[in-house]
Amino acid sequence: MAERPTTIYDVARAAGVAPSTVSRAFSRPGRVNAETAERIREVAAELGYRANPQARALSTRTTSMIAVLLADIANPVFAELVRGAEEAAAEAGYAMVLADTRESAGREREVLDKILPAVDGVVLASPRMSDTAVRQVAKVKPTVVLNREVGGLPSVVVDNPRGMRRAAEHLAGLGHGHVTYLAGPEAAWPDGVRWRALRDARHDLGLTVRRVGPVPPTVNGGIRAAAAWAAHPTSAVVAYNDMIAIGFMRGVLAMGKRVPEDVSVIGFDNTQSAEIVSPSLTTVASPQRELGARAVRHVLAFVGGARSTSTEPVVLPSKLVLRASTGPGPEHA
Amino acid sequence: MAERPTTIYDVARAAGVAPSTVSRAFSRPGRVNAETAERIREVAAELGYRANPQARALSTRTTSMIAVLLADIANPVFAELVRGAEEAAAEAGYAMVLADTRESAGREREVLDKILPAVDGVVLASPRMSDTAVRQVAKVKPTVVLNREVGGLPSVVVDNPRGMRRAAEHLAGLGHGHVTYLAGPEAAWPDGVRWRALRDARHDLGLTVRRVGPVPPTVNGGIRAAAAWAAHPTSAVVAYNDMIAIGFMRGVLAMGKRVPEDVSVIGFDNTQSAEIVSPSLTTVASPQRELGARAVRHVLAFVGGARSTSTEPVVLPSKLVLRASTGPGPEHA
DNA sequence: CAACACGCGGCAACCGATTGCCATTCGACC
DNA sequence: GGTCGAATGGCAATCGGTTGCCGCGTGTTG
C-alpha cells in the first residue's frame, strides 16, 4: 500500500533517455526512433509503468473519463441507463464514473466540485439542482442533461407527453372517466410534464383528473399515495413511476380492494419489478439503455469539439406496455 | 463550455498577493493574516474560484475521493450497498465514485488504470479479477475487498455459511430431504462458499444435495435453471441469489407447477423484488447498507495511515427472512 | 539598546506528465 | 565540398496547486 507508482522519470532513468522521450514514445508514435521506443516500452513494462491520467490532464486538459450523476442509484430505472452509458463510453475509449446524489441538489454540487476537474464531460441524469446551477456546470465542462430540459443546453429526454397520452387513451378506452395522478417529487422534471400531459388529454378524452402527492418515488411513497387516494377514490390511477405504482397496489390490496377490478393502475418506466409484481403492471416504457448511450455520445461529441451541435433536445419514444393491472372501468361499454 | 476555470494565480493577481498565499489562505487557517485571508476569500468567491483537486493531488497525493467498483450495477443487491458506502464517504468528507465493470475482469483493469490515480482508496465489490490482480491494486492504493476474501487483504464479507445453514435447517425442518442449489457465476466468490456450506450441512440435517448451473445471476438465468432442475426435480431449491430464485419460480410456474406446494424456493440477498414477487420470496438477508459503510470506513482508516489494522475479514451477520415461497415438504411430519 | 522570537508574505522547487523549440547527426542533392 | 532538410533526442516551460525556507518588520525581553 502507498507504494509510489513508477513515473516517466523512473522509466527515463532506467532506459537512459530524457523523460520527454518516454512521453513521446507512448503518445507520439513515429516521433521517436522505433528501436528507442521499443526499448522504452520494454523498460516501462518491466517497471510496471502506468501513465497518471491526472497528471496528464494538467497539461492536456483531457482525462478520458466522463461522469454520470444520478439522482438515486437505488431507483432500478437507472440500471439500464447506466449500462447504455457505460457501453457507449467504453466504445469511445472513455471510462465512466458514476455518482449518486441522493436526490439532493446540495450533494450534486459537492460531488461536482470534486469530480468535475477529473473528467472531460458530464451527464446529469434527472438533476435536482436549479437551471442556473446546471448552466454553471455546463460553462465549465461539456454537459448533457437527461430527463430534463434546461433552456439552451443539450438534453436527451423521453417523449413523456406521448407516453402519458397513450396511458390516458388506454384508460378512457376501458371506460374510466376519472383518473388520479400519483405525483412524484416536485424536483423531478418529468413529474410536471406527465401531469400536464394528463391534464391536456382530459378534454379530448372526456376525463376528469385529480392529483395526489407529491410522494417519494418509492414503494413506501406509493403506499402513502394509496392512503391519500382513498379519500377520493377513482377507478383508475397513473403513477409517476413503477415504484409508486407498486406501492399503491400494495396499499389498496391491504384495504381489501382488488387490482384491476376495483382500480386500474399504470406506472412509468417498465422496470423489472413491473413484470414480476402481481398483478403485473401496465406501464409506460422508455428505452433507458438507448437514453444513456445517446447522452454519452452527445457529451463526447462536444468533448470532441463540436460547437454547432444543435441544442434541440433529443427525444426518444416511449410506449405503453399492457399487462394485468388495468381492466374495464365503470363506463365500459 | 470549455471556459478555463479560475486558478489560484488569477485570484492572487486580483488580490495582489502571491499564489502561495492564496493556497495557504484556504488550506492553512491561521498561517495567513486574518484580514488578508478574508480579502482573498472575497476575491476568490467573486471570481468563482474552485480548487482543482487533481492538481492538488499531484503534490499532496490525496484527492478526497474514493472509488467503488461494482460487478454489476443492474444487480439490485448493490443499491443499498452503494447507499451505505456513499453515506459513509460523505460523512468523512469524501466523494464516492462508482464504476460498473460488467462482470468482466478486463473492464475492471481498464477502469482501474484510469481511476486509480484519481482516488485515495478503492472498494472492490465482488471483484472478478484474480487474487494476484487484486493484490496488485492493493499495492498501489488502500484497498478493501467486499464479498470476497483475498489472503492478506482487508475485506468485509457476509456470513454466508451461517445464512446457508439457516436456509438448510429451515428446509429440513419443513420435511424436505432433497435440495438443489442453483449456482451463480463461477467467478463470484460467494457462490462457492454457499454451495460448500450447503454440502457441509447435509450430514447433520440428513439431506441430499444437488447442484445445477452455473447460470447468470439474473431472472433469465433462473428460468434456465428451472429447465435444468426439471430433469431431476427436488422438492426444494436454494438459489445463488434472488434474481435466479425469481426466474426459477417463473420457470416452474410456466411448467404448471406451484410454489411452494410443488417446490419450495429460497433466494439470497433480500432485494426489494423478493418482497413484491408472488409468492413472496423466502430469502437470506444481509445488511447491505452496513456492508458498504463498513467497507468505506475500513478503506478510509487505511487512507488515514492505519498500518496495523487487522487484516482479519470483517464478517457481518445474515439472517433468514421467511416468506411465502417455502412450505412443507414430502417428509413433513 | 541589543538580541531574539514570532507573525506573515514571497520565492522557488516540486508533483507527473506534455510539447514548442532547439541542437545534433546524417544522408541526399547540387 | 557545401547546403539543406528530415529524423531524433533533449531542454525547459507549463498545467494548478503545495510547501520548505528565507527575509522583513514588529514586539518582547534582558
Side-chain angles (χ1 to χ4, degrees):
Chain A
M1 218 157 304
E3 183 177 288
R4 270 185 71 252
T6 43
T7 70
I8 50 166
Y9 297 93
D10 303 327
V11 177
R13 202 173 326 113
V17 297
S20 48
T21 306
V22 176
S23 171
R24 280 192 278 254
F26 287 107
S27 52
R28 292 288 145 96
R31 180 66 177 70
V32 166
N33 183 291
E35 288 172 31
T36 316
E38 184 49 32
R39 185 159 44 88
I40 290 176
R41 254 189 294 277
E42 273 170 25
V43 172
E46 203 170 311
L47 266 52
Y49 166 73
R50 326 210 74 118
N52 178 333
Q54 261 52 49
R56 167 180 300 154
L58 259 188
S59 45
T60 64
R61 306 186 162 288
T62 77
T63 60
S64 296
M65 295 207 294
I66 62 167
V68 175
L69 254 70
L70 246 50
D72 179 11
I73 280 264
N75 187 335
V77 73
F78 287 130
E80 278 299 296
L81 188 155
V82 168
R83 267 303 153 82
E86 145 74 18
E87 284 169 9
E91 228 166 67
Y94 279 71
M96 181 204 69
V97 303
L98 227 61
D100 179 15
T101 62
R102 288 189 265 155
E103 305 257 1
S104 136
R107 282 301 292 155
E108 286 180 354
R109 188 71 241 165
E110 283 174 43
V111 168
L112 280 172
D113 275 350
K114 297 230 171 79
I115 220 177
L116 218 45
V119 299
D120 294 345
V122 188
V123 173
L124 300 177
S126 312
R128 298 301 189 236
M129 55 185 154
S130 68
D131 278 21
T132 316
V134 172
R135 282 209 194 81
Q136 204 67 29
V137 174
K139 272 210 286 204
V140 179
K141 295 274 171 159
T143 303
V144 167
V145 184
L146 218 63
N147 292 331
R148 172 163 161 184
E149 290 178 29
V150 175
L153 257 44
S155 61
V156 179
V157 298
V158 169
D159 192 347
N160 281 299
R162 186 171 218 100
M164 179 56 96
R165 173 80 193 192
R166 293 272 174 279
E169 286 170 357
H170 174 59
L171 292 174
L174 283 168
H176 295 279
H178 305 275
V179 178
T180 302
Y181 176 65
L182 312 179
E186 285 182 326
W189 184 83
D191 182 67
V193 176
R194 290 172 190 172
W195 164 238
R196 278 194 298 280
L198 179 58
R199 274 213 332 213
D200 290 351
R202 113 195 104 145
H203 296 113
D204 289 17
L205 302 174
L207 297 172
T208 70
V209 300
R210 290 188 61 248
R211 180 176 196 235
V212 309
V215 298
T218 60
V219 170
N220 279 333
I223 295 179
R224 271 165 50 188
W229 164 87
H232 305 275
T234 53
S235 68
V237 308
V238 181
Y240 167 69
N241 73 1
D242 287 351
M243 294 292 101
I244 294 179
I246 290 171
F248 176 85
M249 293 201 292
R250 178 105 55 94
V252 300
L253 249 59
M255 296 173 194
K257 312 206 184 223
R258 288 168 316 156
V259 177
E261 290 79 357
D262 297 318
V263 54
S264 285
V265 180
I266 298 184
F268 261 83
D269 295 344
N270 192 28
T271 53
Q272 203 173 42
S273 300
E275 205 179 346
I276 64 179
V277 73
S278 53
S280 63
L281 182 67
T282 294
T283 186
V284 178
S286 45
Q288 292 296 322
R289 197 184 199 103
E290 175 74 7
L291 207 61
R294 289 291 279 273
V296 165
R297 287 200 212 105
H298 214 138
V299 167
L300 291 180
F302 280 102
V303 171
R307 186 116 205 90
S308 60
T309 303
S310 147
T311 61
E312 280 300 295
V314 173
V315 179
L316 265 41
S318 59
K319 67 167 198 276
L320 185 66
V321 177
L322 299 180
R323 295 214 182 83
S325 66
T326 45
E331 300 160 26
H332 189 58
Chain B
M1 220 157 297
E3 182 176 287
R4 273 184 69 250
T6 36
T7 71
I8 50 167
Y9 297 94
D10 303 326
V11 176
R13 200 171 329 111
V17 297
S20 49
T21 306
V22 176
S23 171
R24 280 192 278 253
F26 287 107
S27 53
R28 290 290 144 95
R31 180 63 176 71
V32 167
N33 182 291
E35 289 171 30
T36 315
E38 184 50 33
R39 186 159 44 89
I40 291 176
R41 253 189 294 278
E42 274 170 24
V43 173
E46 204 170 312
L47 267 52
Y49 167 72
R50 327 211 74 117
N52 179 334
Q54 261 52 49
R56 167 180 300 154
L58 259 188
S59 47
T60 62
R61 306 186 162 288
T62 76
T63 61
S64 297
M65 296 207 290
I66 62 167
V68 175
L69 255 69
L70 246 49
D72 178 12
I73 286 261
N75 188 333
V77 73
F78 288 129
E80 278 300 296
L81 188 155
V82 168
R83 266 305 154 79
E86 144 74 18
E87 283 169 9
E91 226 166 71
Y94 279 72
M96 180 204 70
V97 303
L98 228 61
D100 179 16
T101 61
R102 289 189 265 155
E103 304 257 2
S104 138
R107 284 298 295 154
E108 286 179 355
R109 188 69 240 166
E110 284 173 43
V111 168
L112 281 172
D113 275 350
K114 297 230 171 77
I115 220 178
L116 218 45
V119 300
D120 294 346
V122 188
V123 173
L124 301 176
S126 312
R128 299 300 189 233
M129 55 186 155
S130 68
D131 278 22
T132 317
V134 172
R135 282 208 194 82
Q136 203 67 30
V137 174
K139 271 210 286 202
V140 178
K141 294 275 168 153
T143 303
V144 167
V145 184
L146 217 63
N147 291 332
R148 172 162 160 184
E149 290 178 30
V150 176
L153 257 43
S155 60
V156 179
V157 298
V158 170
D159 192 346
N160 281 298
R162 188 172 219 97
M164 180 56 97
R165 174 77 193 193
R166 292 274 174 277
E169 286 170 356
H170 174 58
L171 292 174
L174 283 169
H176 295 279
H178 305 277
V179 178
T180 302
Y181 175 65
L182 312 179
E186 283 182 326
W189 185 82
D191 181 68
V193 176
R194 290 172 191 173
W195 165 238
R196 279 194 295 280
L198 178 58
R199 275 212 333 214
D200 290 351
R202 116 195 102 144
H203 295 115
D204 289 17
L205 303 174
L207 297 172
T208 70
V209 300
R210 290 189 60 247
R211 179 177 199 233
V212 309
V215 297
T218 60
V219 170
N220 279 332
I223 295 178
R224 271 164 52 185
W229 164 86
H232 303 276
T234 53
S235 69
V237 308
V238 180
Y240 166 68
N241 73 1
D242 287 352
M243 293 293 101
I244 294 179
I246 290 170
F248 177 84
M249 293 201 293
R250 178 103 60 92
V252 300
L253 248 58
M255 296 174 195
K257 310 206 185 220
R258 288 169 315 156
V259 177
E261 290 80 356
D262 297 317
V263 53
S264 285
V265 180
I266 298 184
F268 260 82
D269 296 344
N270 192 28
T271 53
Q272 205 173 38
S273 299
E275 204 178 348
I276 64 180
V277 75
S278 52
S280 63
L281 182 67
T282 294
T283 185
V284 178
S286 46
Q288 291 296 324
R289 198 184 199 102
E290 174 76 7
L291 206 61
R294 287 290 278 272
V296 165
R297 287 199 212 105
H298 214 139
V299 168
L300 291 180
F302 279 102
V303 172
R307 186 117 206 88
S308 59
T309 302
S310 148
T311 60
E312 280 299 296
V314 173
V315 179
L316 266 41
S318 58
K319 68 167 196 278
L320 185 66
V321 177
L322 298 180
R323 295 215 182 84
S325 67
T326 45
E331 300 161 27
H332 190 58

